[in-house]
Every structure is written in structure tokens, then in C-alpha cells.
Amino acid sequence: NAGVTQTPKFQVLKTGQSMTLQCAQDMNHNSMYWYRQDPGMGLRLIYYSASEGTTDKGEVPNGYNVSRLNKREFSLRLESAAPSQTSVYFCASSDRDRVFQEQFFGPGTRLTVL
Amino acid sequence: AQTVTQSQPEMSVQEAETVTLSCTYDTSESNYYLFWYKQPPSRQMILVIRQEAYKQQNATENRFSVNFQKAAKSFSLKISDSQLGDTAMYFCAFMKHANDEKLTFGTGTRLTIIP
């Protein structure tokens, strides 16, 4: 089991460029999440998806779009990158059919917007 | 909205000693879940320990234990016999209830174990 995988690991963009962060999980989990981590601020939820075909906004959704392509994959898109989106992005997944929903995290993507 | 506060940005302790990391939270919920996550230099987030609010007994996982004080809204992590591999950022996190699916994180405590 690879768990939760993310691509790319690092990315540098110029202001205004677009890109998509990819996330996949092989644990047959229903729920998937995107977080961003900024220095001194902990992790903040951007978007989440409770099941294939559904997505909901989290705490900081502005400037992002998501797609739950299928049960395994959940992508995060920046349409027009801004320096304020420089951050480390984490994808996570959990099994909402369990009584207790531990979230499993990917290794993160470090994004720099110049 | 829930808030999670970690008031110790950095801590250090000698190897083999015991260290306690603090976490307080604010909520009006009665049944909720609390977590401690570890983030080593590799950046991978790893669940260390969890506590269900309806359980009075403090959770324990090997060298890691919590002191859960529901009335005081406090959830501290104790690491006994600390090891060099415990060096990491530690995040306290809150989940409103089992179906809420959203974690609220504190700002983290950077723990360094000194050889």
C-alpha cells in the first residue's frame, strides 16, 4: 500500500500561472481533503470531498478549485497563482464508514509562487 | 467556530527525559475528538494519539500519553523516555464529531530532543 501519494513534491510558479496538484489514495477511503500549511499557522482546510462527485469548501477556499475525479483521486487547481498561495499543500484521506475517522496524510507539495 | 491553541512554539529536552506539550481548545460541543499529530523533518503527518471526549480515561500509546481535562478544555501530550526520533513539530487537532470530517489544527510546537 502506497497510502496517500501527491505529485509534484516541489513546484515553482510565476504569478498568474496555473497548475494542478494531484492526490491519490489506495486505501479505498470515501473522504479526501486538501490542507495548506503556512509558517506559524498550522494546517488549514481548503476543500474536502465526502464521496465521489461531492466537494465542499473548507476554511480557506478562495483561489482554488477541486475535482474528485473518482474514489481514488482528488486534485487541487490554482487557476491564477498568487504569491499568497506560496505554501506546503497536504492531501489526506479517511474512511467515513468507520466510527472513528483517522485522517492519513500524503507527503506534501511545496509550492512557491514568485 | 472551534479554536485550538498551542502556547509553546518551541521546546527542547534531553534524551530519555519526559516532556509535556500543552494544548487548549474552545468549543461548545460535548462529544468531540482530539488528536496529536507528529510532523518530523520529512513533513509526513503521523497520528500519535487520539482521545474521544466521552471517555474519561486518558489515552495511552506506548511512551505517549495524554492528560485530558474536559472541564478545563485542556489536552496535553506527555512523552516519556524521549528519543532522538521524537524530534518533530507536534500539532494538536480537534474534530467536532465523528461525521464532521474537518480537523482544526493548532499552530504547533517544535520539539527538539537533545542527545
Side-chain angles (χ1 to χ4, degrees), chain B residues 63-105:
Chain B
R63 298 183 294 107
F64 298 87
S65 61
V66 298
N67 183 4
F68 173 49
Q69 302 288 330
K70 191 173 184 179
K73 296 181 181 175
S74 170
F75 182 60
S76 61
L77 174 69
K78 186 171 82 171
I79 306 174
S80 303
D81 185 26
S82 57
Q83 300 174 0
L84 296 179
D86 296 333
T87 291
M89 283 288 290
Y90 287 82
F91 292 95
C92 180
F94 174 98
M95 183 184 289
K96 198 159 61 172
H97 53 73
N99 292 323
D100 184 50
E101 308 217 56
K102 295 186 285 292
L103 283 171
T104 300
F105 285 87

Side-chain angles (χ1 to χ4, degrees), chain A residues 72-94:
Chain A
R72 288 187 65 249
E73 298 173 289
F74 188 38
S75 62
L76 179 72
R77 183 161 178 83
L78 286 71
E79 291 290 353
S80 179
S84 61
Q85 295 178 304
T86 293
S87 189
V88 180
Y89 291 85
F90 288 93
C91 179
S93 70
S94 68

Side-chain angles (χ1 to χ4, degrees), chain B residues 3-19:
Chain B
T3 59
V4 178
T5 302
Q6 294 180 250
S7 58
Q8 304 152 313
E10 294 189 25
M11 295 185 72
S12 60
V13 66
Q14 293 284 343
E15 189 177 6
E17 292 187 348
T18 295
V19 61

Side-chain angles (χ1 to χ4, degrees), chain B residues 23-43:
Chain B
C23 173
T24 58
Y25 57 94
D26 186 27
T27 184
S28 58
E29 303 290 329
S30 56
N31 288 323
Y32 47 86
Y33 298 83
L34 295 162
F35 309 85
W36 280 99
Y37 276 88
K38 171 185 177 181
Q39 186 180 42
S42 66
R43 287 205 315 244

